[in-house]
Amino acid sequence: MSYSPDLPALLQSYEDLVGSSLTDDAHHFMMYFLTWYDQRLVNGERVSFAQATWSEEADRIRDWAEAFLARHDINDTDECQYLCRLMRQQAVTSVSQKDALYDSLHHFADHLASRFASLSGLDITQERKVLVDRLTVHLISAYHRLQNGIRYQNPMLSKIKQDYQSLFYLTKAAVKSQEHLWHASFSDDEIALIATYFGGAVVQQTEELQQRQILVVCSSGIGTSQFLLLQLRSRYPQVHFTGLLSTAECLQFPLDDVGLVITTTSRQYFQNIPCPVLSISPLPTTQEWEELHNRLAELDFPIDTGLRENVREIVAIISDYAKIEDMNGLLRGLNDYFYRKNHQMKIRSRQSQSDSLLKYVTYCSGEIPAAAKHAKPAWQNAIQYACQPLLQGHFIVQSYIDRIIALLSRYGDYMVLGKGVLLAHAKTKDGVLASSAALTLFEKPITMQSGKEIRCIICLAPQNQNDHLDFLALLLQKLNDAEWCKNLFTRNSQEELESFIWTTVDENADQ
């Protein structure tokens, strides 16, 4: 089938108008489709559409569509709308004119990348900017398909599901957690396309997804469960933890390469799955940590290579002098002994009062002092004020505070933990000189940019991934205690606040 001779120039004018370049496949498809469409117009066939409002982007495309139809002396609003919708659904390779839709989809793609990284446990930092930019361009055509109820059929869907099961289902979990922002539901065909972008971004790491992994399941998704995942990855950096997943997501997940499921929910939901399941609290007790450690040792996960080698050497020596009736029991016992000995010594040293991460406690009565008012709006002043003790104590530099404010300005109030508390933090490289934290209680509520009100700001400045874990565990535990929160917010002086907070720290150090 040949195409109309003036179509190449028309498609080029379309690309120039909207500032986007069609993919090769989309270009070839539109060349032949528009040739067929021309013939349909000549035959007098017409479409009928319900009246709809035109966006700024659609207005630009409407000029092109009207010119296309004018070649056949046609002035038909429904045909124009039909042609505009069709063109907007075509895949593009680049976007030069970045409008409000692009900005919105870029924000969505950024959140999607963060969710995927959190679920998979893979580091996509180096590829993140390119990934988000490319994903944004892809989402433009996907957005128009979903908004117009156009179902895309992905010819690679079956192969992607079969050859890259984990990658597909992790992408699906990430997308489903964000799709409410679109008021539309992504099909598996669309999700498989997005999975290819994540697969390309982590091409050197995706083989990890085919190795044995541990699924972490929590239906509530509360902050304490997120902290559990953080602790798991910190304690066992050589183990691949995937999550947090909901119970439904776990039951749909391919379990062939899953060695263990860790869940904060009831084990009754997992009775029919073909791998071990361990129930654990969002804030595990010492006994639960020991049970988990022993289970990982039994399943031969890389929990501590040096420790496992030492245990095997001891067992080998014992076997030279005595017959071992219960080899597995002896291995479990030795693993348990060395784990408790090493881990409990670390806990005691970190919990000593002189090493407390919390360095300053401040009560702010009335308005924020004028000296701190060098930033707008008010919530930025409050963060500057709350971080000021760490700045003056040379635990952080000003760039760390600036970065916190910039992150909140860009991504919204994601640092708000709820119950009136904001955990202000950034990365170590943003300006942390020494591990520290400072707590500030404000007499008057601070209104964040979303309208949420907070009364407590905790500035957290960790120098590595481990030294703040005990402090965070204590904080989340206390925030889940309604009585503790009530007592915190009824303090009305510096003395009362100090007495209350330091008593909390002392009680924890004694445990």
Side-chain angles (χ1 to χ4, degrees), residues 224 283 419 471-486 500 503-505 507-508 511:
T224 44
L283 293 172
K419 299 188 178 180
F471 175 77
L472 266 181
L474 174 63
L475 172 63
L476 291 169
Q477 184 180 44
K478 295 302 181 183
L479 290 179
N480 281 334
D481 184 342
E483 188 64 26
W484 187 88
C485 292
K486 178 181 177 181
F500 176 71
T503 298
T504 298
V505 172
E507 287 176 351
N508 184 65
Q511 292 178 354

Side-chain angles (χ1 to χ4, degrees), residues 246-294:
S246 68
T247 303
E249 289 169 340
C250 174
L251 296 178
Q252 293 180 9
F253 199 88
L255 299 175
D256 294 343
D257 300 313
V258 174
L260 177 67
V261 172
I262 296 175
T263 178
T264 60
T265 63
S266 173
R267 292 180 58 179
Q268 67 179 358
Y269 301 113
F270 308 96
Q271 293 178 355
N272 298 322
I273 68 173
C275 62
V277 179
L278 178 67
S279 292
I280 196 170
S281 306
L283 293 172
T285 63
T286 300
Q287 181 179 353
E288 286 177 320
W289 279 123
E290 292 179 10
E291 183 182 358
L292 170 63
H293 189 86
N294 288 334

Side-chain angles (χ1 to χ4, degrees), residues 1 14 123 245 264 267 273 297 366 368 389 400:
M1 177 180 178
Y14 170 82
D123 182 10
L245 300 177
T264 60
R267 292 180 58 179
I273 68 173
I368 300 174
Y400 190 72

Side-chain angles (χ1 to χ4, degrees), residues 96-116:
S96 59
Q97 297 180 13
K98 298 176 180 178
D99 54 15
L101 176 61
Y102 180 92
D103 292 339
S104 175
L105 295 181
H106 193 275
H107 188 64
F108 177 84
D110 193 61
H111 277 281
L112 205 57
S114 297
R115 180 61 175 154
F116 177 85

